[in-house]
């Protein structure tokens, strides 16, 4: 039923769990007022980021969104540095310059979270174009939400990718909302995956609460693009567990929406059920992973709290390479 | 007079103008909020800083229009409606997002009247939040109003307090030219006395929140408050200053600035934008021509550095001009 | 076979012929070097502009493109003033401020030609929104080429029109080229009408060399939008007779492409054949129209050549209403 | 040395860099031309002003990439490729079209390195034509480089002659930071001596095409030639001037300007952008601070008016700063 090795399964679970705990902990820490800025939590949608990124190596690239923690962790970003970045330390991923919305590890193929909705897809086309020109068999992905599918830049990127026939995968994450507005309203009730299809790209749909569903869809899309057939699309649906950003009162959501999601559509639960039903893994292995992840997150927060902060001299550093 | 936050003052201005003129409507992302949501609570947001709160309940869904994330289409929709006799008030959530809709602002809205030989008008307002101070990082903290001031055909408003915010927004909505209205993130919570009734503050007339004799300080938006703090701190040293808040950067009240410099002979210009091709240079350059004979000292500009806005709170604080920077610049001119 | 009155048929022909002669004459005049700037001629595509605009009154609006003469004349713009505008006179449509790319008569529902590809569709959404808010039963149209269908703003406008359910008609004119690039290349060989369909809008297709075909398609689209069902699309194909702009060497086109078009797909010829075959009009009536049009164009050029030019004082006029 | 047009000089620069570095590629609308056309003549255009002519024949279709009309995707594609180790040279046909792709330029390209903590680079060039003089009207005649100079993270190049154009474009392509390269429409046909071989002109080093004693004139791009004409015309009156061509507006060679003003005591700044928040104010403001003690007269700015660019040839000519305007400003400083 699945051709994933045990090691791969454990890694997938570990990454989903790491994202989950990273976000759950941030939710708590942010409430204490220690973390500045806008933080958009990904919890709930972990299966999408991980289901997609498990197909990638460091040589492949992703471009993420404002809701980027999940994508970055799934692509292998350094969690300790990420936490420090979010706390604003000079030891963070971006030396405290970027924060939650701009986590990037370019040498690991993470071309940045992105605070501009629709900012990422054109950049992903460029990374894919580099793959094509270098003929190095890599692919590039960009993530985007239902909301971002209304931004003109997303369409331009899709058409450009088709025109230039680059190995680009558009991951469309429909989580039902763009900020406080329902996805169905924003698109006049019309299926947003159809937009991608209208450019002639194959669209592979997945249940975003099910790692295996996403993994399979992503496999097809990435294989299609990697073998040189041009861009493709992964379309996955799953709602977020938290507000649009931390501080969002979520009055646009029905009272029990998240409670129900957590009970019936949790990707970690689904994963555990599946691997146990299909006897793919011993659940005790995953319990051990849970402990390790919790310890890692605890450490990351302890480290971040005491990590050094920048000073005036740092402000004007790294605007240019030379000037 | 009642004390109100600028958020409430702006909200009142919207209510006044919606009630006065049925052609006024609002359009933007989440300016009502909740459409298509599972709770059905439409109007639950009122814009991310609450400026349009309550409008949809009072004036109905047709006049408070939530949109997809499509800034070019938002401005375009406002533009086309304005050409067709309406008076739209569009909201672009963050000033930085002029990046995705500059064409509509610069090449369309700003130029219609001119390109069409003066035979039409495009009375719209585009509101947005501006500036740093929220650790919102490089893509959500820019000022942008200096770049917009460079564009002929636009009027540009940068209020520094709740009272002005209300009166200037009312003027903006009543104005027959396109107006960009920049609300600083730190402005929303700032409070002062604000009348309940409607009043209009004319464009191109500076305010002078401090008067003094040693130096003229011109500051924009949130920096007016920083400069005021600096000036107040210098009283102990026997230094007093004129503080000029232009309120609108386009049109600009050159006269008030020049008159003040004529009296003080000294000028410090303060803005939180980076230094290049900004408003501080704009004012300095203007005075270095028209007010040259009055000048008794170098004109000092206090700005952010030539760098994007950093995320970390400590770095952002270091990035922003502070009262002590302004005080130091004033002292410099008196050396 | 057609429900057009004789008067309507003559008007349609007159407008197509006026556009044609306006453009043919400009082609000649521009070669003499008297006219400054970039001029994009519409000749060949007349049936599209006229077939669409014959359904409109002054209260309906259009937003045009860089190739705007045809749309403006079809919508009833003052031809004498247009010619003066192109010559740069203060008596021109825009007092010499706009030129060929910015002809506008807002009170007649012409919200401007537009030099920015994709600039018009969002503006058209706004005009349609005004129709909806005023409940005055008007509609708004925007024209756009195959090239403009790749600009993000066009997609945003389509989605916004659907979301707000405004009476907006998107007229997509596929003339096979955007500047020097073939339409099939720019869209990766994929049907550009499908894009519009993917937003859930009905698309009515037409042969852009046949007035009646366009008229029928436009009728359906405009009726659909006018009765409140939301935005719709007219998709028409027909190539231009001249270069992208006057001065274009057209090396991207096969040698006989235009010659063949003129011989086999000319909208004026097609119109004459149809009205004569179907006995709708006496061709002598059209011959008389031809004479009138030629006289009008001749007059427009003579007037334009001697019309007054602006001076320094005009430059800074009309930037603002008050400042 | 051979005489060449700037168009040819720029074309040579492209050929040199394409040959030198296989990671260099070009992307834009019709930079080859003819793809998908019925003649099959690919490469028939070479950019609307011919700067990329012949590249596709020499270096192949993979390295000379025509695109749909999608400026945001063009800049985005260049950006992503640059982050991935390539050296793209993108063409945005007219500077005015930064309106439809400003986000990618301002919020992405300019800020990557900073936002990512200095751990990456984005070596790309965006070429575009700029300026008025073609009766191209309000949406195809803007300068835009003043607005881009305001953006930290970008380097901005504004060549005034064929020799500089070549050397600066070579530097731009070799630079590790993002560079915007503005080619004036009237530059393309202008000629001067240009070596056949490759050479690089460093950024931030002004040229001084005229030297004199009475006044310092700083001018940008095409206006360097207008200013030179003005200065030459004043020789008859016994007036001589330093003429400074900064060549790059960011970085800016402040030193050369300040040294000159120290000697002359007078400054005129010339640019064809409108007056507000532009480069003339930028220079004037800088000198009114750092060069204040040298100044013996008001600093004069010669600019276009605060208006869009009009279409009609007569109006456009009236709109643009002319040699006599510059001469008048110089005389003013000497009163
Ligand atoms: C150009 C732009 N417009 C608006 C915003 C403000 N904004 C940030 S996230 C967001 C909603 C995005 O929705 P979606 O793409 O569905 O992603 P999600 O938040 O659901 O993950 C909005 C409107 C922005 N950051 N950029
Ligand atoms: C944003 C923008 N990009 C590029 C151009 C340059 N340009 C003018 S017309 C044109 C081609 C337009 O093609 P299409 O939409 O098919 O219209 P057509 O010219 O065929 O009528 C281009 C690229 C422009 N004016 N605006
Ligand atoms: Mg979403
Ligand atoms: Mg076309």
């Amino acid at each position: 039923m699945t051709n994933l090795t045990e090691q791969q399964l454990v890694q997938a679970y570990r990454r989903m769990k790491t994202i989950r705990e990273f976000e759950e902990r941030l939710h708590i820490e942010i409430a204490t007022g220690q973390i500045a800025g806008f933080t958009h939590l990904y919890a709930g949608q972990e299966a999408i980021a991980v289901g997609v990124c498990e197909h990638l190596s460091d040589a492949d690239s992703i471009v993420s969104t404002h809701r980027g923690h999940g994508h970055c962790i799934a692509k292998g970003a350094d969690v300790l540095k990420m936490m420090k970045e979010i706390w604003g330390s000079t030891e963070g991923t971006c030396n405290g310059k970027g924060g939650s919305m701009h986590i990037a590890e370019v040498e690991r193929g993470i071309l940045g979270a992105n605070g501009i909705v629709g900012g990422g897809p054109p950049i992903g086309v460029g990374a894919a174009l580099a793959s094509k020109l270098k003929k190095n068999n890599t692919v590039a992905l960009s993530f985007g939400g239902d909301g971002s599918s209304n931004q003109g830049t997303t369409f331009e990127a899709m058409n450009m990718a088709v025109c230039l026939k680059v190995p680009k995968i558009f991951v469309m994450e429909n989580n039902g909302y763009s900020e406080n507005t329902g996805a169905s309203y924003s698109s006049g009730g019309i299926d947003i995956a159809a937009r991608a299809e209208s450019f002639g790209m194959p669209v592979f749909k997945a249940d975003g609460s099910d790692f295996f569903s996403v993994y399979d869809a992503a496999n097809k899309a990435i294989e299609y693009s990697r073998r040189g057939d041009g861009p493709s699309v992964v379309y996955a649906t799953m709602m977020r567990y938290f507000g649009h950003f931390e501080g969002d009162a979520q009055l646009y959501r029905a009272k029990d929406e998240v409670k129900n999601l957590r009970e019936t559509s949790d990707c970690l639960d689904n994963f555990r059920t599946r691997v146990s039903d299909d006897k793919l893994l011993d659940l005790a292995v995953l319990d051990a992973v849970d402990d390790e992840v919790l310890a890692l997150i605890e450490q990351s927060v302890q480290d971040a709290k005491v990590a050094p902060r920048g000073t005036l001299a740092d402000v004007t550093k790294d605007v240019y390479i030379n000037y | 007079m009642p004390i109100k936050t600028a958020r409430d003052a702006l909200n009142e201005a919207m209510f006044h103008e919606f009630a006065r003129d049925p052609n006024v409507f609002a359009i933007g992302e989440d300016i009502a909020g909740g459409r298509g949501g599972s709770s059905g609570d439409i109007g639950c947001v009122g814009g991310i800083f609450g400026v349009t709160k309550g409008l949809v309940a009072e004036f109905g869904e047709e006049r408070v229009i939530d949109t997809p994330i499509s800034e070019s289409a938002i401005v375009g929709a406002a533009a086309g409606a304005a050409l067709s006799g309406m008076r739209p008030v569009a909201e672009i959530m963050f000033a930085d997002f002029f990046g995705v809709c500059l064409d509509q602002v610069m090449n369309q809205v700003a130029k219609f009247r001119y390109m069409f030989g003066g035979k039409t008008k495009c009375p719209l307002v585009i509101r947005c939040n501006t500036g740093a101070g929220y650790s919102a990082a490089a893509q959500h903290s820019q000022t942008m109003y200096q770049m917009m001031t460079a564009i002929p055909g636009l009027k540009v408003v940068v209020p520094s307090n709740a009272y002005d915010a209300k009166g200037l927004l009312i003027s903006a909505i009543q104005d027959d030219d396109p107006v960009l209205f920049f609300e600083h993130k730190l402005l929303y919570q700032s409070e002062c006395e604000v009348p309940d009734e409607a009043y209009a503050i004319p464009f191109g007339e500076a305010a002078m929140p401090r008067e003094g004799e040693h130096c003229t300080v011109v500051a924009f938006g949130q920096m007016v408050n920083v400069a005021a703090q600096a000036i107040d701190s210098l009283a102990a040293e026997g230094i007093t200053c004129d503080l000029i808040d232009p309120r609108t950067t386009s049109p600009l009240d050159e006269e008030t600035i020049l008159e003040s410099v004529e009296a003080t002979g000294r000028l410090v210009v303060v803005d939180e934008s980076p230094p290049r091709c900004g408003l501080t240079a704009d004012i300095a350059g203007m005075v270095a021509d028209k007010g040259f004979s009055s000048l008794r000292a170098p004109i000092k500009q206090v700005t952010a550095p030539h760098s994007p806005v950093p995320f970390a709170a400590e770095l952002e604080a270091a990035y922003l001009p502070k009262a002590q920077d302004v005080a130091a610049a004033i002292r410099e001119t008196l050396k």
Side-chain angles (χ1 to χ4, degrees), chain B residues 148-163:
Chain B
M148 299 300 144
T149 302
I151 301 174
L154 300 177
K155 292 176 175 172
V156 181
V157 186
V158 189
S160 69
N161 62 72
Y163 177 87

Side-chain angles (χ1 to χ4, degrees), chain B residues 13-322:
Chain B
M14 297 288 280
F15 268 87
H16 288 310
E17 291 307 298
F18 265 68
R20 190 188 52 79
D21 184 346
N23 289 320
V24 173
F25 72 93
I27 184 166
E29 294 159 17
D30 288 325
I31 59 169
R35 280 191 177 100
S38 51
S39 75
D41 183 1
I42 291 169
C44 59
V45 182
I48 59 157
F49 285 100
V51 171
T52 49
K53 187 86 190 165
L55 283 175
V56 72
E58 182 76 15
F59 299 103
E61 293 206 32
E62 289 223 323
R63 293 178 68 190
V64 186
I65 304 171
D66 280 344
T67 69
I69 312 180
S70 309
E71 282 77 5
S72 290
I74 293 170
V75 179
L83 288 178
S84 307
M86 305 297 292
R87 291 190 164 272
V89 183
E91 176 169 318
I92 294 297
M93 210 181 265
F94 287 74
D96 316 67
F97 305 163
F98 282 122
V100 288
C101 61
L102 181 70
D103 180 70
Q104 287 292 330
V105 176
M106 174 179 79
N107 288 329
Q108 312 296 341
V109 165
K111 294 178 171 49
F112 282 145
R113 182 173 170 75
Y114 191 80
M115 293 192 300
F116 299 169
K119 294 174 187 170
T120 189
K121 62 181 183 182
C122 187
L124 61 78
V125 179
I126 305 176
R127 298 176 38 251
C128 61
N129 82 59
T130 183
Y134 254 71
S135 273
Q139 293 176 336
H140 286 74
S141 302
Q142 295 166 93
T143 55
M144 297 302 295
Y145 47 73
Q146 86 282 28
M147 289 174 70
M148 299 300 144
T149 302
I151 301 174
L154 300 177
K155 292 176 175 172
V156 181
V157 186
V158 189
S160 69
N161 62 72
Y163 177 87
D164 285 1
K166 178 171 174 178
L168 290 165
L169 184 54
I170 287 175
S171 291
I173 298 173
Q174 294 178 1
D175 202 283
D176 276 338
D177 290 310
V179 179
L180 304 196
F181 197 92
F182 290 84
E183 303 162 5
H184 199 283
K185 294 176 187 69
L186 301 178
L187 172 68
Y188 293 117
Q189 288 311 313
S190 82
E191 295 181 323
C192 68
E193 289 193 333
V194 177
D196 288 334
E197 55 276 11
Y199 56 95
I201 297 178
F203 289 178
E205 292 188 14
M208 209 190 277
R210 296 288 184 282
E211 291 184 35
E213 44 180 326
H214 301 104
C215 182
T216 301
V217 180
V218 178
F220 296 92
Q222 181 54 18
M223 285 297 130
V224 172
N225 305 302
V226 172
Q229 221 184 305
I231 290 170
D232 296 346
S233 78
L234 289 172
E237 298 170 35
I239 300 171
T240 65
C241 301
D242 276 354
L243 172 58
I244 296 174
D245 172 359
R247 300 201 280 209
T248 60
T249 66
S250 181
L252 176 72
D253 182 352
E254 296 190 354
E255 210 175 293
T256 298
I257 297 169
L258 289 168
E259 271 172 19
S260 170
V261 173
E262 197 181 328
T264 64
R266 290 165 171 96
L267 177 62
V268 171
V269 200
V270 190
D271 187 36
E272 78 164 76
S273 313
R276 301 301 311 283
C277 294
L279 278 160
T280 60
D282 188 80
I283 304 296
M286 186 271 291
V287 172
D289 177 9
K290 300 181 186 170
F292 183 77
S293 60
S294 320
L295 283 173
R296 287 186 277 162
I299 301 174
K300 291 288 165 194
Q301 300 177 40
V302 182
T303 69
H306 185 65
S307 111
V309 183
F311 160 70
E314 294 83 359
L315 296 177
E316 190 187 41
Y319 171 91
L320 283 170
K322 282 161 287 296

